[in-house]
Every structure is written in C-alpha cells, then in structure tokens.
Amino acid sequence: MKYAMQGNQDLNVIGPEDSHIFLDDEKIGESFIIKDVGFPKKDVVEKKTVRIEKTGYAPQVIELKKGTNKWIWGNFLFLLGAPIGFGIDYLAGVFNSFTPLNIKADLIRDEKYKVDLNSPTQKKYKAVLDESSKIPVVITYSNLSAVNIEKLDEKGNVIPNANDEYTSIFQNQSNVKTLSPGTYRIKGVYQTSRRSGNTITTYTAKKGGEMILTIPGGGAGAFCGLIDKEKKATSFRFIHINEPSAKSLEGFLPRAQLSNRIAGSCDGIFGLQDLLAQ
C-alpha cells in the first residue's frame, strides 16, 4: 500500500532561512528540502543522519532510524493472500521504513559556530547548482489567484512569450509552467480556502501584490502567496528545490509532482511572522 500510494519515502526538512541541510554528511539543500530517501533494504542500512547547520547557531543532528513499516499489517486485509503480501514486502525491502521523516529544525544560538563553505560537499552542491543554472525550472503556485508571471530583460521590459505551459505525455496543468532562469515580475492576489465540516470558507486579500524576483534554473519551485493581515496586502516567496534527479526528467510528470508538493508545503514553511520580519 505504501509503495503503491507514494512509491518512495520522502524526507521533509524545514530549516531556518540560509541554513544548510546534510544527509549522511552530503549537502542536499538549503532552508527547505523534500528528498527521496528510499526504503531501508533489510539489514543493509540501519540509519541515516540529518544535520542542519547555520552560521551563528549550533548544528542540529537527527538520526533517521529503521523501523517496521506500519503498512505491513495491511496484508491481513487480504486474508488468504496475506503470506504472499508479506513475502513480496520482504523481498522488495519495503517492510521497513525510516523515522522521523518530517523535521523542523530548532537551532540554538552559538555565535562561535561558522559553516565551512569550502568543504568538499559544499563545493559539490555548488557545482550542481552551476550545472543547472541554464536549465528551465518547473513552477506552480499556492494561495494565489489572478496570477500573472512576466519575464523581464535587463532594462525591466517584458519579454513576450517567455513562459510555457507545462505539458507532458501524462497531463497538462494550466497552473504549472516551465520558466527559463532569469528575472520575473509576478502579480496576484492572496487567496486560500479552509474546510470545516461540509463548509468551505475562502479568504481573499483586499489588495493584490506585485514583486520582482530572480528565478534560478533546474529542479522545481513554487510561488507561495502570503498576506499581511494588518494591511490586507499580498506578498510572495519563491521556494526552490534543485533536485539532481528532477533535472534529468525534463518535460515529464515527476517535476510537476515535486513542484505541486513544494506548493503544498507553503503554509508550513513561511507565514505572516516571516513576512513581517523582512
């Protein structure tokens, strides 16, 4: 069931702004990451280690430990087929899973600590970013309506037809676009919906927003709509994950999935306090 529904295990790490995220001493991202960590293969991998670093703060280390995947007990639903199900799960190596997979870092101030930006893993991560700097990024948006995204040239003029609708052999989504790296002006109105029982309430900002942002290349990203509740005004954040595996899937479904999952995380990453702090 777990494999059929998700196909992998995703590690979700939310760190402070400008933090560095490592998995088993290899840098995998900054500030926020969704990373496929797979399933432990029987006794081959017992644990993984996540470390979050930021200059001026003590590093935080979290162990991902191997445990029994709770979905293994779903085989009992198939009664006579349960032994076959257990056997398949065992041979496939998906009977175990890593925990925890959702981490929100809480770093403690340490003025003496400084991140080593010249370490081999930092240089390797930077090389990946440089390599994909000219590759288009797949984007979508969350908590926004009436969205308009325009690419600008060096003089601030709009470049016509710079945005592509995202098209794959599987689907076409009007809110998913392929953008080449560069400077963009985004306009939109903050809007979100909340469900309570059978009632859906929609909240809309009285004032739309406009912002000019630089969009990096590669991977996937999302524009997150924010609202200043005092001014009732709209603002934006752009969240980007440069997954090397997503880079090679140019024009196909997985990068749109990653973009939508980033958009689905907007509420849990950045909120009103983050906006006001800026």
Side-chain angles (χ1 to χ4, degrees), residues 83-198:
I84 297 175
F86 273 101
I88 292 174
D89 287 342
Y90 183 83
L91 292 174
V94 299
F95 65 98
N96 282 329
S97 60
F98 287 116
T99 56
L101 289 175
N102 295 295
I103 298 170
K104 191 163 187 176
D106 185 17
L107 303 186
I108 299 174
R109 194 75 181 169
D110 182 355
E111 298 290 348
K112 297 181 180 180
Y113 188 81
K114 187 175 182 180
V115 176
D116 182 6
L117 299 177
N118 294 314
S119 67
T121 186
Q122 288 278 7
K123 292 180 179 179
K124 181 180 177 181
Y125 182 79
K126 185 179 183 303
V128 172
L129 296 184
D130 292 341
E131 182 184 354
S132 60
S133 62
K134 297 181 181 179
I135 297 174
V137 56
V138 173
I139 68 97
T140 186
Y141 43 85
S142 175
N143 295 341
L144 287 170
S145 65
V147 177
N148 183 38
I149 303 173
E150 300 171 316
K151 188 172 185 178
L152 308 178
D153 61 19
E154 294 179 355
K155 296 181 179 180
N157 299 317
V158 176
I159 302 175
N161 304 317
N163 305 341
D164 297 325
E165 296 297 317
Y166 180 86
T167 305
S168 77
I169 61 174
F170 301 102
Q171 65 181 24
N172 180 21
Q173 298 184 7
S174 60
N175 67 323
V176 181
K177 299 180 183 296
T178 303
L179 304 182
S180 58
T183 302
Y184 287 83
R185 177 168 57 213
I186 177 172
K187 300 177 183 178
V189 179
Y190 174 87
Q191 186 176 83
T192 189
S193 298
R194 298 287 185 268
R195 177 184 289 274
S196 178
N198 295 325

Side-chain angles (χ1 to χ4, degrees), residues 30-103:
E30 297 176 348
S31 302
F32 169 64
I33 191 72
I34 298 175
K35 177 74 173 177
D36 177 13
V37 293
F39 289 88
K41 297 290 186 181
K42 301 177 197 175
D43 297 327
V44 176
V45 179
E46 291 289 340
K47 65 181 180 180
K48 292 177 179 286
T49 302
V50 174
R51 187 175 75 257
I52 301 98
E53 296 184 0
K54 181 177 180 178
T55 295
Y57 293 82
Q60 184 176 359
V61 178
I62 300 99
E63 282 192 354
L64 307 182
K65 296 182 179 180
K66 185 176 75 171
T68 302
N69 191 329
K70 63 182 180 181
W71 285 103
I72 189 78
W73 310 116
N75 287 298
F76 284 119
L77 297 175
F78 298 97
L79 301 176
L80 295 178
I84 297 175
F86 273 101
I88 292 174
D89 287 342
Y90 183 83
L91 292 174
V94 299
F95 65 98
N96 282 329
S97 60
F98 287 116
T99 56
L101 289 175
N102 295 295
I103 298 170

